[in-house]
Amino acid sequence: NPQLNPTTSEPPTPPTDHRSLAQAHGLFITSPYSPGSPLLLPNGAYVFQKLQSFLRAQYPQFGFQEVITPTIYKKSLWEISGHWDNYAEDMFSVQGRGATGRTENAEVGQDEEFGLKPMNCPGHCLLFGNETRSHRDLPVRLADFSALHRNEISGALTGLTRVRRFHQDDAHIFCRPDQILAEIEQTLKFVGMVYDTFGLGPYKLLLSTRPLDHFIGTIEEWDRAEMQLTEALINSGREFKTNKGDGAFYGPKIDIILKDSNGKEHQTATIQLDFQLPQRFNLQYQASPEEMVAQLAGCENAKGLDNAHRRPVIIHRAIYGSLERFMALLIEHYAGTYPFWLSPRPAIILVLNQSPEILKYVTFIQSVLSGLRPVPPGSLENSNGKPTPQPLATIHLPIDVDASSRGLGKKIAEAFKKRYNHFIIVGPNEARDQTLKLEMIHQPNIPTSENALSRALGRDLQSDDYK
Amino acid sequence: NPQLNPTTSEPPTPPTDHRSLAQAHGLFITSPYSPGSPLLLPNGAYVFQKLQSFLRAQYPQFGFQEVITPTIYKKSLWEISGHWDNYAEDMFSVQGRGATGRTENAEVGQDEEFGLKPMNCPGHCLLFGNETRSHRDLPVRLADFSALHRNEISGALTGLTRVRRFHQDDAHIFCRPDQILAEIEQTLKFVGMVYDTFGLGPYKLLLSTRPLDHFIGTIEEWDRAEMQLTEALINSGREFKTNKGDGAFYGPKIDIILKDSNGKEHQTATIQLDFQLPQRFNLQYQASPEEMVAQLAGCENAKGLDNAHRRPVIIHRAIYGSLERFMALLIEHYAGTYPFWLSPRPAIILVLNQSPEILKYVTFIQSVLSGLRPVPPGSLENSNGKPTPQPLATIHLPIDVDASSRGLGKKIAEAFKKRYNHFIIVGPNEARDQTLKLEMIHQPNIPTSENALSRALGRDLQSDDYK
Ligand SMILES: [Zn+2]
Ligand SMILES: [Zn+2]
């Protein structure tokens, strides 16, 4: 099996490989104790969380509700979902110590086998199925950032792109068949909005349709769904291609294929329709009067339903896809010149000497630019000797300080190596005049950064203050 | 084993039990497919994330840096940390499918046994040990909200308090021995600030000191550490008790014991010193000139160090402790009357009739109060037909609407049952005059809520508008 060998045949790609850039910025490390599960260092966790927060901030306007679901489920759930049979090789199994993994005659909780979840769908089906749903309650849109595990061969593991543990901006939309068009349209708009924000693109859209032989549901259901997908794609105004017959047996899908700066293609977002899971989990909602008049389609998918109930369709959708992989893409995309709000090293304050006045002014500048309330140096305390809570809406920026006794040349060299986006130099003049000297490097959009810094300082930056 | 029986002997506690209140608010469900891993519904995930965001907003001012670490680690890591030997019964083991769990002669990645992490400490030790650390780099403070798993007996599992899967506001402070006092003082202040914010308390502090016989390190190290803990406790100005000899063999600790409204005591926060893990992971930093003069203490703990290096002390600390348990505590503490910013059901808009003008005004009110940009009803779009990203600092409040055709009486009854904190009634008059009628129920601090609502609406609420 060639996949078992380490991937030594890859061409060397030092300048834009996400791993070397990530190392310069201190984003993550890997460990032989958990191959394929990158450990995100503070800077990497910072970027990860900014990506997560950005999407979270968008969820309410698109009607998504976040949920928090288990990491492990019993074998019996994975049997219902079909993963135990179809996905066995890619799943990790989990046992209580001393358990045999067999459930016959076992004491409850003492001898159960679990699966470490590779996907969130079965858990979301449990949540949907937990309540009686009316046709008016749909769509229900559940989002989940859970860690997922897939047992990839260890020889294939690389950085943030080929991993065993990752997080998706995963969501499942449970909707009526007649809501597919609107949901796909909104999802395509969501994708466009997010990729525009990061300056990613152009991207291609790829529709995969009903396979010839083996599929569930009726041809009418497929045709209706595919027509809605096609209409949404046309309405998006973007180029798309159709791969006829290339869909999974349980539903058609749309893939979003991103071209990176080297012309390499990456499949990131997916929008996958699913007629199967609703059936496996016997999910249903109370039919609308129109649906009751139209009667039930007599297909296997409707098995077990009376005419007063219908199966929802599930839309699996992810916009980033794997957050780890999306981070790798962005690392290469920005090549170190992150936008100010996302940069793990937006700025460093280089201190000319260590006099108390300068250090005091530096602490002030640092706290203002970081988004923290300005505090007297060396103290978190207000006049009561008690720290004060920072408000929830605080956006913290990691503004660093080099107040060591080394010379400015050495400090600048190190700051260059660490790829800070801005150097802020503070010496006796700046402390006296309460100004600052700004140098920008690795910065794609200088006016935006100036703007952000001016806003933070509460006044315009003087053009003399930076070059 | 009595723990195997379901806990049927508990006294009935319907009104303040977190489970029944949680049900009224739709916070979580449990599933036989993952006993002890509560599934947080949208409202529960909302409260969970508000708790998490609140603490995250405080981390920068206390110098904590968040990291993201693996869920599973190989057996060999747990052998280093000592968990495999001492914690075996409480850990879940994890295997790739088809793996035997033995590592001899196994193909890499094909036949490894892993442990599902019950704690974050070993992962954080890997992160600390990954870099050369100078005495000037300390303290290093790593925070982590990872999901943790402990294999509790299934009969003992209850709601959010006795679980198998939970999240801690976990952090590890790697510091020099002379930094213990300052770190403990700051941690106690952090605890005080957080508990004050939630109106929790009073709480007791409990110091556990060196056991008589079995301990690691020297008596001098323990004495110095215990003196610093005691000084920090005295400086906190709070009552504390000492349990002499009650510390773990690897270090003294401080427990925070909270009294709930029923007088029941809960151990929530912990501050645990650890001399052992730094030794097991051979963690070290470059000694300061003073430390080099003072020479190395000749104890087992220093084994393998030359005089130019020292072991850091680890402080394990959690302020909430388990977020799930802390949520349960808050649920009972507030008994449904959450503060406005934390409430899963802060307000519902009850619509008197479904005329287009009223519905339009309702959509406007809802988007303003939710923290979203006001949008025309039924549309996410700006003039370009494209949605606009919400800024990162958006605080979203889940303001619901009941626009059904039912009568107001029925709507109010249901809103009461669901324990919304505010009812906002909108009819023809309100839509015409662009006002709103406010009724508050279950609300502990009405001026604060009025304030928040006025701020959201951008104008003072008229006193006639609510009763
Ligand atoms: Zn899915
Ligand atoms: Zn720990």
Side-chain angles (χ1 to χ4, degrees):
Chain A
N1 189 338
Q3 287 190 287
L4 279 172
N5 299 320
T7 52
T8 48
S9 58
E10 282 189 323
T13 51
T16 55
D17 185 292
H18 80 274
R19 286 169 297 177
S20 54
L21 284 163
Q23 199 171 14
H25 270 131
L27 299 186
F28 73 93
I29 61 167
T30 56
S31 164
Y33 294 113
S34 196
S37 292
L39 289 87
L40 298 198
L41 297 165
N43 283 355
Y46 176 83
V47 174
F48 182 99
Q49 276 165 21
K50 278 282 198 285
L51 294 177
Q52 198 179 33
S53 305
F54 174 72
L55 221 65
R56 270 191 181 139
Q58 314 315 318
Y59 275 167
Q61 70 169 319
F62 288 96
F64 287 94
Q65 297 184 300
E66 208 172 322
V67 293
I68 298 176
T69 55
T71 307
I72 60 174
Y73 294 99
K74 285 189 188 166
K75 181 181 164 191
S76 44
L77 184 81
W78 302 112
E79 285 171 341
I80 295 174
S81 70
H83 286 88
W84 205 262
D85 290 333
N86 303 318
Y87 210 76
E89 287 308 305
D90 291 315
M91 267 174 79
F92 287 97
S93 73
V94 178
Q95 293 173 17
R97 293 289 297 277
T100 64
R102 280 174 280 107
T103 46
E104 312 96 58
N105 305 319
E107 301 218 50
V108 173
Q110 289 295 288
D111 204 11
E112 301 275 344
E113 188 171 10
F114 294 82
L116 197 52
K117 74 172 163 190
M119 300 178 187
N120 292 307
C121 344
H124 292 189
C125 288
L126 291 181
L127 289 176
F128 182 89
N130 182 59
E131 286 171 45
T132 306
R133 312 278 181 175
S134 138
H135 61 96
R136 276 182 304 263
D137 299 330
L138 271 49
V140 170
R141 306 180 191 91
L142 301 179
D144 201 321
F145 282 107
S146 285
L148 303 173
H149 288 82
R150 298 183 188 170
N151 189 17
E152 304 278 345
I153 301 294
S154 71
L157 303 174
T158 317
L160 296 174
T161 47
R162 301 289 297 268
V163 291
R164 285 182 174 161
R165 178 189 193 255
F166 62 101
H167 303 72
Q168 278 189 320
D169 62 320
D170 201 11
H172 295 95
I173 302 170
F174 299 81
C175 67
R176 300 193 305 261
D178 63 280
Q179 293 173 320
I180 294 173
L181 170 60
E183 291 305 307
I184 302 293
E185 277 191 354
Q186 281 298 71
T187 303
L188 288 174
K189 281 182 186 169
F190 199 170
V191 171
M193 188 185 92
V194 171
Y195 286 28
D196 282 355
T197 301
F198 294 102
L200 292 171
Y203 54 84
K204 292 196 301 192
L205 298 167
L206 197 59
L207 171 67
S208 299
T209 60
R210 177 172 53 81
L212 215 60
D213 305 320
H214 177 54
F215 57 88
I216 69 158
T218 63
I219 294 192
E220 290 71 37
E221 281 179 301
W222 278 83
D223 285 350
R224 228 172 16 235
E226 288 175 6
M227 264 172 54
Q228 294 186 74
L229 293 186
T230 308
E231 195 177 336
L233 285 166
I234 291 169
N235 294 347
S236 77
R238 300 198 184 245
E239 199 192 329
F240 73 96
K241 264 181 42 183
T242 304
N243 273 1
K244 244 181 117 67
D246 221 30
F249 73 93
Y250 52 87
K253 69 167 174 174
I254 297 172
D255 287 320
I256 284 88
I257 317 281
L258 194 68
K259 248 193 186 142
D260 71 17
S261 39
N262 299 323
K264 219 171 99 185
E265 294 194 333
H266 304 264
Q267 196 237 297
T268 50
T270 339
I271 308 170
Q272 168 76 58
L273 259 60
D274 193 331
F275 303 127
Q276 186 204 28
L277 272 189
Q279 179 188 337
R280 282 181 169 267
F281 281 89
N282 191 24
L283 302 182
Q284 43 189 286
Y285 63 90
Q286 296 161 339
S288 68
E290 301 78 43
E291 286 176 315
M292 281 168 65
V293 168
Q295 294 285 324
L296 254 182
C299 68
E300 196 206 0
N301 197 22
K303 222 164 49 186
L305 290 184
D306 58 30
N307 192 41
H309 292 88
R310 291 294 178 282
R311 296 234 181 276
V313 177
I314 293 180
I315 306 173
H316 311 253
R317 81 101 187 91
I319 292 177
Y320 293 147
S322 151
L323 261 83
E324 282 80 356
R325 198 155 45 92
F326 196 78
M327 254 179 85
L329 248 162
L330 285 184
I331 292 167
E332 298 184 5
H333 173 65
Y334 292 128
T337 62
Y338 292 90
F340 197 64
W341 69 276
L342 190 64
S343 176
R345 291 210 173 111
I348 185 165
I349 302 175
L350 306 175
V351 184
L352 275 189
N353 73 55
Q354 294 160 306
S355 77
E357 298 74 41
I358 293 184
L359 291 181
K360 196 176 152 191
Y361 181 58
V362 162
T363 305
F364 171 76
I365 292 287
Q366 184 190 23
S367 58
V368 171
L369 293 179
S370 300
L372 298 177
R373 279 200 207 85
V375 284
S379 159
L380 293 172
E381 289 147 36
N382 63 17
S383 47
N384 307 326
K386 278 187 180 179
T388 329
Q390 288 279 331
L392 261 190
T394 309
I395 298 290
H396 175 256
L397 297 178
I399 309 292
D400 287 334
V401 170
D402 185 346
S404 66
S405 56
R406 297 175 301 173
L408 184 62
K410 276 208 169 147
K411 291 183 186 180
I412 289 184
E414 193 185 308
F416 251 108
K417 216 176 91 192
K418 289 188 168 174
R419 304 184 70 97
Y420 282 92
N421 294 152
H422 302 77
F423 302 165
I424 297 168
I425 299 164
V426 174
N429 298 342
E430 287 77 19
R432 190 191 56 225
D433 305 340
Q434 306 273 303
T435 58
L436 48 84
K437 203 176 249 131
L438 199 60
E439 294 204 46
M440 305 203 188
I441 57 163
H442 309 129
Q443 197 40 248
N445 189 346
I446 291 182
T448 307
S449 299
E450 283 181 9
N451 225 310
L453 289 171
S454 300
R455 259 206 318 276
L457 290 169
R459 59 186 163 84
D460 280 351
L461 293 170
Q462 299 301 311
S463 58
D464 289 352
D465 292 346
Y466 52 87
K467 33 180 179 168
Chain B
N1 190 336
Q3 288 189 287
L4 279 171
N5 299 320
T7 52
T8 48
S9 57
E10 280 188 325
T13 51
T16 56
D17 185 292
H18 80 274
R19 287 168 296 177
S20 55
L21 283 163
Q23 199 172 13
H25 269 131
L27 299 186
F28 73 92
I29 60 167
T30 55
S31 164
Y33 294 113
S34 196
S37 292
L39 290 88
L40 298 197
L41 298 165
N43 283 355
Y46 176 83
V47 173
F48 181 98
Q49 276 166 22
K50 277 284 198 285
L51 293 178
Q52 198 178 34
S53 305
F54 174 72
L55 221 65
R56 269 191 183 140
Q58 314 314 319
Y59 275 166
Q61 68 168 321
F62 288 95
F64 287 94
Q65 296 185 300
E66 209 172 321
V67 293
I68 297 176
T69 55
T71 307
I72 60 174
Y73 293 99
K74 285 188 188 166
K75 182 182 163 190
S76 44
L77 184 81
W78 302 112
E79 285 171 340
I80 295 175
S81 70
H83 286 88
W84 205 262
D85 290 332
N86 304 318
Y87 209 76
E89 287 306 305
D90 292 315
M91 269 175 78
F92 287 98
S93 75
V94 179
Q95 293 173 17
R97 295 288 298 274
T100 63
R102 279 175 279 106
T103 45
E104 312 95 59
N105 306 319
E107 300 218 53
V108 173
Q110 288 295 289
D111 204 9
E112 300 274 343
E113 188 172 11
F114 294 82
L116 197 51
K117 74 173 162 189
M119 299 178 189
N120 292 308
C121 344
H124 292 189
C125 287
L126 292 179
L127 289 176
F128 183 88
N130 182 59
E131 287 173 44
T132 305
R133 311 279 182 173
S134 139
H135 61 96
R136 276 182 304 264
D137 298 332
L138 272 48
V140 170
R141 305 181 192 91
L142 301 179
D144 201 322
F145 283 107
S146 285
L148 303 173
H149 288 82
R150 298 183 188 170
N151 189 17
E152 304 279 345
I153 301 294
S154 71
L157 303 173
T158 317
L160 297 174
T161 47
R162 301 290 298 267
V163 291
R164 285 182 175 162
R165 178 187 193 257
F166 62 101
H167 303 73
Q168 279 189 317
D169 62 322
D170 201 11
H172 295 96
I173 303 170
F174 299 81
C175 68
R176 301 192 307 261
D178 63 280
Q179 292 173 320
I180 293 173
L181 170 61
E183 291 305 308
I184 302 294
E185 277 191 355
Q186 281 298 70
T187 303
L188 288 175
K189 281 182 187 169
F190 199 170
V191 170
M193 188 185 92
V194 170
Y195 286 27
D196 282 355
T197 301
F198 294 102
L200 292 171
Y203 54 83
K204 292 195 301 189
L205 299 166
L206 197 59
L207 171 66
S208 298
T209 60
R210 176 173 53 82
L212 214 60
D213 305 321
H214 177 53
F215 57 89
I216 69 157
T218 63
I219 294 193
E220 290 71 38
E221 280 178 301
W222 278 82
D223 286 349
R224 228 170 19 234
E226 288 175 6
M227 264 172 54
Q228 295 186 74
L229 293 186
T230 308
E231 195 177 335
L233 285 166
I234 291 170
N235 293 347
S236 78
R238 299 198 185 244
E239 200 192 329
F240 73 96
K241 263 179 42 182
T242 304
N243 272 0
K244 242 180 119 67
D246 222 32
F249 74 92
Y250 52 87
K253 69 168 174 173
I254 297 171
D255 286 322
I256 283 88
I257 317 282
L258 194 68
K259 250 195 185 135
D260 71 17
S261 39
N262 300 323
K264 220 171 100 185
E265 296 194 331
H266 304 264
Q267 196 238 296
T268 49
T270 337
I271 308 170
Q272 168 77 58
L273 259 60
D274 194 331
F275 302 127
Q276 185 205 28
L277 272 189
Q279 179 189 338
R280 283 181 169 268
F281 280 89
N282 190 25
L283 302 183
Q284 43 189 284
Y285 62 90
Q286 295 162 338
S288 68
E290 299 78 44
E291 285 175 315
M292 282 168 65
V293 169
Q295 294 286 325
L296 255 183
C299 67
E300 196 205 358
N301 196 22
K303 223 163 50 186
L305 291 184
D306 59 29
N307 192 41
H309 292 88
R310 291 293 178 282
R311 296 236 181 276
V313 177
I314 293 180
I315 305 173
H316 310 253
R317 80 102 189 91
I319 292 176
Y320 294 147
S322 151
L323 263 83
E324 281 80 356
R325 198 154 45 93
F326 196 78
M327 255 179 83
L329 248 160
L330 285 183
I331 292 166
E332 298 186 3
H333 173 64
Y334 292 127
T337 61
Y338 292 89
F340 197 64
W341 68 276
L342 190 63
S343 176
R345 292 210 172 112
I348 185 165
I349 301 174
L350 305 175
V351 184
L352 275 189
N353 73 55
Q354 295 162 306
S355 79
E357 298 75 38
I358 293 183
L359 292 181
K360 195 176 154 192
Y361 181 57
V362 162
T363 305
F364 171 77
I365 291 288
Q366 184 192 22
S367 58
V368 171
L369 293 179
S370 299
L372 298 176
R373 278 200 208 84
V375 284
S379 158
L380 292 172
E381 288 148 36
N382 63 14
S383 48
N384 307 324
K386 277 187 181 180
T388 329
Q390 288 279 329
L392 261 190
T394 310
I395 299 290
H396 175 257
L397 297 178
I399 309 292
D400 288 333
V401 170
D402 185 347
S404 67
S405 55
R406 297 175 300 173
L408 184 62
K410 276 209 171 148
K411 291 183 188 180
I412 288 184
E414 193 184 309
F416 250 108
K417 216 176 95 193
K418 290 188 170 176
R419 302 183 71 97
Y420 283 92
N421 294 152
H422 303 76
F423 303 164
I424 297 166
I425 299 163
V426 174
N429 298 343
E430 288 76 20
R432 190 190 58 225
D433 305 340
Q434 306 273 301
T435 58
L436 48 85
K437 204 176 248 129
L438 199 60
E439 293 203 46
M440 305 204 187
I441 57 161
H442 309 129
Q443 197 41 247
N445 190 346
I446 290 181
T448 307
S449 300
E450 284 181 9
N451 223 313
L453 290 170
S454 299
R455 260 207 317 276
L457 290 169
R459 59 185 162 84
D460 281 350
L461 293 169
Q462 300 300 311
S463 57
D464 289 352
D465 291 348
Y466 53 87
K467 32 179 178 167

